Amino acid sequence: DLPGLTIVESDGGTVTTEAGAGSDQFTVALSAQPPGDVVIDLVAGAQFPQLLDLLRPGGRYAVAGGIGGPLVELDVRTLYLKDLNLLGCTVLEPEVFPNLIAHIERGRISPVVAQTFPLERIHDAQTAFMSKQHIGKIVLTIDGQGHALPGD
C-alpha cells in the first residue's frame, strides 16, 4: 500500500516514513532530533517542506522520484538560511547497473515485483501504476504470460 519511502539519518540513527494508504500525502511521523544530515526522498509531493525542516544547517536532500507529485513548494529562505544542498539522483556510474544485475543473479538481492501483465494488457499495467497502491515494480511480459504473485 506504499507508493514510497523516505529515510532520514540523524546522529547515527535512521528514521523512516512511508507514504501511506493510497494517498499522495505522507504520514509525517518523523521527529528527527537533533536535525538530520541527509534526507533521501523517492516520493516528493506535498511533504517536501517538512522534509527540509528535518535537516540541520548544511544538510543534504536527495530526490530520485516524484510519485507523490512532481511539483513541490519551496520557501527559498529555508534553502539559503539553512545552507542546504539539494541533489537530483538519476545519473549513475557505468558500473552501477552491471553490479546490480550481478547481485540479482547471485541471489543477494531480489527486485520486489508488485504485479506482472502480458504486453497486451499494457493499459491495465498503466492503470495499476497510476493507482499508486503498489510496492515494487509493475512488470510487462512479452511472452503473453502475466503471472500473479504467490497468494494472489
Side-chain angles (χ1 to χ4, degrees):
D1 294 357
L2 309 174
L5 177 74
T6 294
I7 302 169
V8 175
E9 295 276 343
S10 179
D11 283 352
T14 301
V15 179
T16 60
T17 295
E18 301 170 2
S23 145
D24 290 342
Q25 300 298 313
F26 254 59
T27 304
V28 179
L30 295 175
S31 58
Q33 297 297 325
D37 297 318
V38 177
V39 170
I40 301 170
D41 187 4
L42 304 179
V43 177
Q47 83 290 339
F48 177 79
Q50 291 90 353
L51 294 176
L52 294 186
D53 290 340
L54 296 171
L55 291 167
R56 66 164 177 77
R60 293 169 290 167
Y61 168 90
V63 63
I67 196 169
L71 301 179
V72 298
E73 184 176 315
L74 172 64
D75 182 335
V76 294
R77 294 171 295 184
T78 301
L79 179 63
Y80 70 78
L81 291 173
K82 290 179 85 171
D83 194 24
L84 300 177
N85 292 294
L86 305 182
L87 307 166
C89 303
T90 57
V91 178
L92 303 174
E93 299 297 325
E95 65 274 7
V96 171
F97 192 71
N99 286 342
L100 175 64
I101 297 301
H103 285 295
I104 292 169
E105 289 172 342
R106 290 185 185 103
R108 292 182 180 156
I109 59 173
S110 299
V112 175
V113 177
Q115 201 169 358
T116 62
F117 295 89
L119 184 58
E120 298 78 31
R121 291 186 51 212
I122 192 169
H123 183 268
D124 294 334
Q126 183 66 22
T127 300
F129 176 78
M130 294 301 293
S131 75
K132 301 179 185 178
Q133 297 296 306
H134 62 283
I135 299 174
K137 303 297 181 185
I138 303 291
V139 177
L140 291 173
T141 59
I142 57 172
D143 63 0
Q145 303 296 314
H147 302 285
L149 294 175
D152 284 355

